[in-house]
Amino acid sequence: MNSFKNKWYNWLVIDSRSLRLFRVAFGLILLVDLLIKFNDIPAFYSDVGIVSNTFLSSALPSWFFGIFQFCGDPDVVRLLFGFQAVLLIGFILGWGLPTVTVILYVFNFSLVNRMPYAMNGANFLITNLLFIFSFLP
């Protein structure tokens, strides 16, 4: 019985070093993705672009919410992107992981909901992985 218990324990245990390495790699991917999206702020994430906030509020269900829907000025959106980049650097370095991860999840969820017409499956995968990361050590 004891060997059976040890066998399952070895399969279910998570090595924290590999988890840290995955967090760093995932954070770098998110940072590069954010820097790529930074060039598209006027076109996709502000009111002067393709979709305004008034159109989004009338065309999408009420549960589509987010931080980026409360501001339409490109400069304010750039400020929010900068704050998200600072959070991502904290995520990569491991500073305040539970809190930073939850805030990053809210920011990424808001970013996906700001322009749902230009998102693909990778954006939803990133959001789901951030949700799972909020429960990991």
Side-chain angles (χ1 to χ4, degrees):
M1 181 68 180
N2 198 13
S3 65
F4 179 74
K5 185 177 177 182
N6 287 336
K7 183 178 179 182
W8 280 105
Y9 178 77
N10 290 336
W11 276 93
L12 297 176
V13 76
I14 297 175
D15 188 15
S16 63
R17 294 172 296 181
S18 61
L19 199 58
R20 275 186 243 134
L21 180 66
F22 183 71
R23 185 195 72 232
V24 168
F26 184 60
L28 289 173
I29 290 170
L30 286 177
L31 191 60
V32 168
D33 183 52
L34 189 70
L35 291 175
I36 291 170
K37 289 178 182 176
F38 190 78
N39 294 328
D40 298 330
I41 286 175
F44 291 125
Y45 304 110
S46 68
D47 283 342
V48 297
I50 298 170
V51 178
S52 67
N53 283 333
T54 55
F55 175 76
L56 273 179
S57 63
S58 65
L60 296 176
S62 61
W63 59 270
F64 272 67
F65 69 94
I67 299 167
F68 292 97
Q69 291 176 348
F70 296 119
C71 59
D73 186 32
D75 293 331
V76 176
V77 176
R78 284 186 186 99
L79 183 70
L80 289 173
F81 267 59
F83 182 67
Q84 190 173 358
V86 169
L87 287 172
L88 279 170
I89 292 171
F91 180 76
I92 291 167
L93 297 176
W95 293 335
L97 274 179
T99 308
V100 168
T101 308
V102 169
I103 296 171
L104 274 175
Y105 171 74
V106 170
F107 265 86
N108 199 23
F109 187 78
S110 301
L111 197 62
V112 168
N113 285 338
R114 175 59 179 98
M115 189 59 183
Y117 306 115
M119 296 299 149
N120 57 18
N123 298 106
F124 297 109
L125 179 67
I126 287 171
T127 306
N128 290 335
L129 283 174
L130 279 171
F131 180 75
I132 291 169
F133 255 105
S134 63
F135 297 107
L136 295 177

